[in-house]
Amino acid sequence: MEAEDFQCTLCLKLLYKPTTTICGHSFCLECFTQSLRYRAKCPICRSVLHAAFSSLAVSRDFSRLLEANFPKEYSQRRKEEEEKLLAKRRNKAGDEENSDNDEEDALLGTMVLCPVLPRQRLHLHIYEPRYRLMTQRCLEGSRRFGMLARASRGRTNTPASYGTEVEIVECEPLPGGRYYMEVVGRRVFHVLDSWTTDDYLTCKVEWVDLDEGSSPTASNGFSVRPIDPERTLALSANLEQMVEMWQSLVYERGYERNPDQLRRLYRDLGPMPPATSPGDRAMWVAALINPLPALGVAPE
């Protein structure tokens, strides 16, 4: 037997932690997992595979056979995979450190879909290959990515320049590499630069301090009026009374589309921020009156 006879057809190296499909073909477990994220088919015979990542298993007897017959090559493969795992852990630690640092620019894998505000919750069915790959990378790292709406400018339909970082709080793997997950909005960001990575958008962003009183929009050609701190605090204090009036109208006119919709919204958003944080308070109100899914206020 020669080691070349037991190569993984995906990485062209000796099989390491081999897994065998129902159609009888063997691949490295990691290689096959990556392949499934793009297409739920056998890479050799193209048979459709209804397999979830959690159902994949290493063929222990096959693995021991390879190690016994090719000890040097198998040891080298183990070393390579351990080095890859260490690098992945270092990247994950870097992502977590980066996500906790509000002063530095950050890189975010980004989904161009719909606007989400901080504290809002959204359920997503991830089935496109590009977003399945992005989701897997998020799950291995900080569990966070960006969401942008589309902004129509003239004849081109381009992503908006502002969006929200969301965090994956629940995620259920589905057959074929799909995911069903719940995300919650965290922080607002401004896009400084963007490019395509494996068919999905990657953005270099800066975080927007909602209570700072300044905005980078001025550099984008938008006019930004000077902020009067006293007037801003007075308007912020009035929001509580306005929300109470709005809530009364929702109940009186039956604008809830589902039973207890408003109560669940309050539960998800948490208490209203204090009037001394006018930007955060205003964003909380915006998330309340523009919920996902929408209230029955307008005939959408």
Side-chain angles (χ1 to χ4, degrees):
M1 291 190 300
E2 299 293 335
E4 289 76 11
D5 297 329
F6 296 93
Q7 280 187 347
C8 171
T9 56
L10 294 172
C11 67
L12 302 180
K13 298 178 181 179
L14 179 68
L15 288 163
Y16 177 73
K17 291 187 175 180
T19 186
T20 303
T21 65
I22 58 173
C23 52
H25 297 113
S26 296
F27 309 91
C28 302
L29 179 63
E30 180 63 21
C31 294
F32 186 53
T33 302
Q34 294 288 348
S35 177
L36 279 181
R37 290 172 187 150
Y38 286 97
R39 183 173 297 176
K41 292 184 178 181
C42 173
I44 295 179
C45 68
R46 305 302 180 188
S47 296
V48 176
L49 302 173
H50 300 285
F53 295 136
S54 57
S55 68
L56 301 180
V58 175
S59 303
R60 300 295 180 186
D61 292 339
F62 192 8
S63 182
R64 284 192 287 267
L65 178 66
L66 291 170
E67 189 170 11
N69 285 275
F70 312 107
K72 183 177 178 181
E73 293 87 343
Y74 203 84
S75 177
Q76 178 62 28
R77 290 287 288 118
R78 179 184 287 112
K79 181 179 179 182
E80 291 173 358
E81 293 302 317
E82 288 175 350
E83 288 175 352
K84 286 169 60 177
L85 182 60
L86 286 174
K88 188 181 293 184
R89 288 174 177 171
R90 285 195 294 268
N91 290 337
K92 179 179 179 181
D95 287 343
E96 291 175 347
E97 181 179 353
N98 192 27
S99 68
D100 290 337
N101 192 339
D102 290 347
E103 301 302 322
E104 298 181 358
D105 298 338
L107 299 181
L108 281 178
T110 304
M111 180 180 296
V112 182
L113 182 64
C114 62
V116 177
L117 298 174
R119 298 183 179 88
Q120 283 188 329
R121 292 178 178 267
L122 182 65
H123 290 89
L124 297 170
H125 176 203
I126 307 299
Y127 59 89
E128 290 188 53
R130 55 177 175 166
Y131 290 140
R132 282 160 37 193
L133 178 60
M134 186 191 76
T135 299
Q136 182 61 31
R137 289 172 174 169
C138 288
L139 292 172
E140 294 172 352
S142 64
R143 299 178 69 91
R144 299 189 178 203
F145 61 92
M147 289 198 70
L148 288 172
R150 289 200 173 274
S152 297
R153 297 174 182 173
R155 294 186 177 181
T156 61
N157 197 17
T158 59
S161 57
Y162 284 85
T164 301
E165 177 197 49
V166 300
E167 181 180 6
I168 301 172
V169 292
E170 296 287 344
C171 185
E172 179 185 356
L174 300 174
R178 296 173 294 121
Y179 295 93
Y180 183 75
M181 64 186 186
E182 181 183 11
V183 300
V184 60
R186 295 303 187 196
R187 297 182 286 181
V188 176
F189 61 80
H190 173 231
V191 178
L192 300 174
D193 194 9
S194 64
W195 56 91
T196 301
T197 302
D198 294 327
D199 292 332
Y200 65 81
L201 192 67
T202 296
C203 295
K204 181 180 181 182
V205 306
E206 62 180 352
W207 307 114
V208 176
D209 188 340
L210 299 173
D211 295 314
E212 182 64 25
S214 61
S215 172
T217 46
S219 63
N220 268 10
F222 294 96
S223 61
V224 180
R225 293 184 300 175
I227 293 177
D228 181 344
E230 292 186 4
R231 174 173 167 76
T232 299
L233 289 175
L235 291 172
S236 179
N238 290 337
L239 280 176
E240 186 168 0
Q241 182 180 1
M242 295 174 69
V243 166
E244 291 176 356
M245 294 172 59
W246 173 86
Q247 175 184 291
S248 298
L249 288 173
V250 170
Y251 284 137
E252 290 173 5
R253 302 186 181 182
Y255 285 146
E256 290 181 293
R257 284 188 168 171
N258 302 295
D260 293 330
Q261 183 179 6
L262 198 54
R263 182 184 61 81
R264 290 195 300 271
L265 279 173
Y266 281 121
R267 180 196 63 196
D268 291 342
L269 296 177
M272 178 187 285
T276 52
S277 299
D280 193 27
R281 190 178 175 100
M283 194 63 70
W284 183 93
V285 173
L288 174 67
I289 65 176
N290 296 282
L292 301 170
L295 290 166
V297 178
E300 296 91 352

